[in-house]
Amino acid sequence: MSDEKRQNPSVAVIGAGMTGILMAIRLREAGIADIHILEKADRVGGTWRENTYPGVACDVPAHMYTYSFRANPWWSHRFAHGDEIQRYFEQVAEEQGIREMVRFNEAVEQCHYVDGKWRLKTSKGAERVVDFVVSATGILHHPAYPDIPGLDSFAGDLWHTARWNHDVDLRGKRVGIIGTGSTACQVIAEISGLDCELTVFQRTAQWVVSVPDKEYSEQEKARLSRKPSRLAALRRWYAFALRHTFSKAVTGSKLPHAYVSWLAKRNLRKSVRDPELRARLTPDYPVGCKRLIISSHFYEAMQRDNVHLETTAIERISEQGVVTADGRTHELDVLILATGFRPFDFMRPMDLRGRDGVTIDEAWKKKVQAYRSLCIPGFPNFFLMLGPNSPIGNYSVIAMSEVQTDYVLKLIDLWRRRELPTVEATEEAKQRYNDYLKAGMGKTVWVRGCQSWYLDADGDPAMWPYSWQQWVREHEQPVLDDFVRQPPAEEEPL
Ligand code: N01
């Protein structure tokens, strides 16, 4: 490959959500012009386009849930609502000229590494051949449908929260919701105010911390808009507060853990008056073991007369509704599944094959793992953004993505300068990295007895078990020895 070509690699970015938009902006800033952004839907926005359930909002403060280079003085609330966040991403994509680069309604169906290049086939039948692929397909993308017998037999309306059916008016209906995770708590807080009878099927109680959702006045917004330094200070403050409370509490600091536990327990004690209901809403695991719920309305909603908490296990679903283990049938018109996502599915159902035709399923047969959550041995020049072990619970995923994006650009730069023949982590480096993740697990609260998508089937972490600062530090400089330095003979030499 000529020096000129090496300087201007072609890059396919799969997905135009938060990370895809960011990556396209950064690639362009790095002087890379040959960028193909492929998006299966007809709009940018990713998770915020897909999740439109009532009450959808971000429980990370809005001034921190923005790109660092594009603050937004106009957020209406401390916790921005989903449609406002969606508008933010649309605006940024528009302002930065990214929207016009996106190929909408074009899903990548095949992505094969052949003769040193990635060959993509899309749902429109188009073929693209590129040097690099960035999969910006998101973490929690595939809804998890519960394996409850009889689910298909329900005669009423049934949907998953990530596929909300806006055609059905819940007023006057008997509504059931399965799950009490972050999503369910937002939905319950919102729809409990409607004139409906709502039954909440709770398998495991959740710890909830109340942080009031302040609405910004027009004067405050105008002031923030005039004073970018204030806006930046606000962002820093929220980042500092989250890092030193929620993040540290789960990754091993006894002091923040005691503090956050106290907050959650006090919230439950003060908010729920009826001791019997309080007992049923009290979790039996340490605070932070599952994702902490941030809500100032969930407990209030659970005490409304039209809301009923059901804690008896679900046995099956019948035509009429939910049958619990005690033989009762809870008759329903609508059943909502707030049962979360399949966090290990990543870029599925794409047919992804690395070197020698090895499929991603084969590569991950033993375990879903990557080097630095990003590089999969055998898949050269392929980056899985926000891959395994990347999320930090209750922190801004945008901040994490920005760090990872800069790291990817450093790797591409090494390739451009011919310091790496391809960007491919070695199997040993991946193993070492995952041993290191496992070692970090011991101190976290996740090992103290609870089950959630924060852990995989072997009980190993699916999250980042260390601090935010460590995430930043470890992405500052790529370690060359962790990458394949000599390409296979049939691939182009340096
Ligand atoms: O999903 P979840 P989620 N029978 O997996 C229950 C992000 N998020 O959509 O705890 C009965 O947390 C399950 O019960 P249990 C955030 O990262 C962010 O709420 O397993 N119940 C649980 O109660 C979050 O972590 C925001 O016993 C069943 C619930 O369903 C992630 O999305 C907002 C069941 C699933 O909870 C996922 O949250 C919302 C069954 N068979 C979400 N199967 C922000 O504001 C599952 N459950 C940024």
Side-chain angles (χ1 to χ4, degrees):
M1 185 184 280
S2 70
D3 276 352
E4 198 188 326
K5 278 206 157 175
R6 195 97 177 176
Q7 275 313 304
N8 192 20
S10 47
V11 185
V13 177
I14 307 177
M18 176 276 288
T19 300
I21 295 170
L22 170 68
M23 182 53 84
I25 293 171
R26 293 292 194 226
L27 286 168
R28 223 184 27 194
E29 284 170 0
I32 294 171
D34 197 1
I35 306 170
H36 308 242
I37 313 170
L38 300 155
E39 167 56 58
K40 67 175 180 162
D42 60 359
R43 280 189 306 151
V44 303
T47 226
W48 302 103
R49 178 196 63 230
E50 306 256 313
N51 285 278
T52 60
Y53 58 81
V56 59
C58 184
D59 62 13
V60 172
H63 284 294
M64 208 203 142
Y65 196 80
T66 56
Y67 296 124
S68 57
F69 55 89
R70 173 55 165 81
N72 177 20
W74 307 108
W75 290 120
S76 64
H77 290 76
R78 172 177 286 148
F79 298 110
H81 297 179
D83 53 354
E84 210 178 348
I85 302 173
Q86 171 64 17
R87 278 201 302 282
Y88 169 81
F89 287 119
E90 285 179 357
Q91 264 173 15
V92 176
E94 187 71 42
E95 286 164 12
Q96 299 276 340
I98 300 300
R99 205 184 67 81
E100 63 198 27
M101 294 164 64
V102 182
R103 303 290 179 141
F104 290 105
N105 302 308
E106 199 162 346
V108 177
E109 292 180 340
Q110 265 186 21
C111 183
H112 294 180
Y113 186 71
V114 185
D115 297 333
K117 294 266 189 186
W118 282 100
R119 289 163 198 274
L120 278 58
K121 276 195 187 149
T122 74
S123 52
K124 286 195 172 162
E127 295 202 38
R128 285 162 206 276
V129 181
V130 292
D131 298 304
F132 287 93
V133 173
V134 176
S135 175
T137 45
I139 315 172
L140 299 173
H141 182 62
H142 298 286
Y145 287 85
D147 192 12
I148 304 175
L151 197 63
D152 292 341
S153 65
F154 181 57
D157 290 298
L158 178 147
W159 62 78
H160 190 279
T161 49
R163 304 280 180 272
W164 196 269
N165 183 348
H166 291 278
D167 295 335
V168 176
D169 186 350
L170 298 180
R171 282 173 298 185
K173 302 251 166 58
R174 296 164 302 176
V175 181
I177 182 164
I178 300 180
T180 47
S182 305
T183 304
C185 291
Q186 291 181 340
V187 172
I188 293 163
E190 190 72 17
I191 65 174
S192 60
L194 300 175
D195 174 24
C196 66
E197 283 300 313
L198 178 62
T199 304
V200 176
F201 295 93
Q202 172 189 281
R203 185 166 65 181
T204 315
Q206 307 278 345
W207 287 113
V208 182
V209 167
S210 169
V211 182
D213 187 11
K214 165 189 166 67
E215 184 170 358
Y216 292 107
S217 68
E218 290 308 316
Q219 290 96 314
E220 279 175 300
K221 289 187 251 181
R223 210 166 31 235
L224 285 175
S225 141
R226 282 195 306 272
K227 299 235 171 179
S229 57
R230 268 190 193 218
L231 208 50
L234 203 55
R235 180 185 173 85
R236 279 198 301 276
W237 158 245
Y238 279 127
F240 176 86
L242 287 186
R243 266 177 231 158
H244 292 278
T245 53
F246 303 144
S247 301
K248 277 203 172 164
V250 296
T251 55
S253 164
K254 288 201 170 71
L255 196 61
H257 191 263
Y259 174 62
V260 177
S261 297
W262 175 77
L263 283 179
K265 287 175 185 171
R266 188 186 64 152
N267 184 34
L268 178 60
R269 204 174 51 246
K270 289 201 151 192
S271 309
V272 183
R273 291 179 300 275
D274 172 11
E276 196 262 336
L277 178 63
R278 198 187 311 137
R280 293 199 295 146
L281 288 169
T282 303
D284 59 359
Y285 54 84
V287 171
C289 191
K290 284 170 178 286
R291 190 178 199 270
L292 199 60
I293 311 285
I294 312 294
S295 173
S296 43
H297 296 296
F298 173 66
Y299 287 145
E300 179 192 323
M302 292 306 295
Q303 292 171 89
R304 290 199 163 118
D305 291 342
N306 61 327
V307 178
H308 318 285
L309 176 64
E310 183 52 69
T311 53
T312 311
I314 297 173
E315 192 181 84
R316 63 189 167 88
I317 309 289
S318 71
E319 206 180 322
Q320 290 79 28
V322 172
V323 182
T324 42
D326 53 10
R328 283 177 299 143
T329 296
H330 303 262
E331 293 191 6
L332 300 170
D333 303 305
V334 176
L335 181 57
I336 298 162
L337 307 175
T339 43
F341 297 85
R342 302 195 310 268
F344 302 104
D345 278 11
F346 290 105
M347 51 271 166
R348 304 325 201 290
M350 187 165 76
D351 169 14
L352 172 62
R353 289 162 199 255
R355 180 175 285 121
D356 303 326
V358 173
T359 66
I360 188 65
D361 288 342
E362 287 163 344
W364 278 348
K365 197 164 65 192
K366 278 202 198 136
K367 213 162 174 58
V368 176
Q369 285 182 332
Y371 169 77
R372 297 209 175 282
S373 309
L374 185 76
C375 300
I376 307 161
F379 292 71
N381 291 3
F382 183 96
F383 303 112
L384 170 56
M385 303 303 292
L386 296 175
N389 302 100
S390 59
I392 294 184
N394 294 95
Y395 199 69
S396 168
V397 79
I398 303 185
M400 307 210 63
S401 203
E402 288 196 349
V403 170
Q404 225 184 19
T405 300
D406 289 347
Y407 179 74
V408 167
L409 285 163
K410 284 175 192 157
L411 290 173
I412 294 182
D413 200 44
L414 288 169
W415 180 88
R416 285 163 112 184
R417 289 192 273 121
R418 295 184 184 271
E419 287 186 45
L420 285 176
T422 55
V423 182
E424 181 185 0
T426 64
E427 186 60 40
E428 298 73 50
K430 184 206 80 178
Q431 197 47 53
R432 217 180 318 116
Y433 183 71
N434 281 275
D435 290 346
Y436 159 71
L437 291 171
K438 208 168 166 160
M441 180 74 181
K443 280 191 177 169
T444 69
V445 71
W446 305 317
V447 287
R448 288 167 52 192
C450 73
Q451 189 47 257
S452 77
W453 72 273
Y454 279 15
L455 301 175
D456 70 11
D458 303 325
D460 291 336
M463 308 288 284
W464 174 248
Y466 298 106
S467 67
W468 159 256
Q469 287 87 344
Q470 205 148 331
W471 175 262
V472 174
R473 253 193 321 271
E474 294 190 8
H475 286 83
E476 269 163 11
Q477 211 44 54
V479 178
L480 278 178
D481 284 344
D482 285 351
F483 293 88
V484 173
R485 307 297 292 276
Q486 193 62 43
E490 66 276 14
E491 282 178 25
E492 190 210 25
L494 273 173

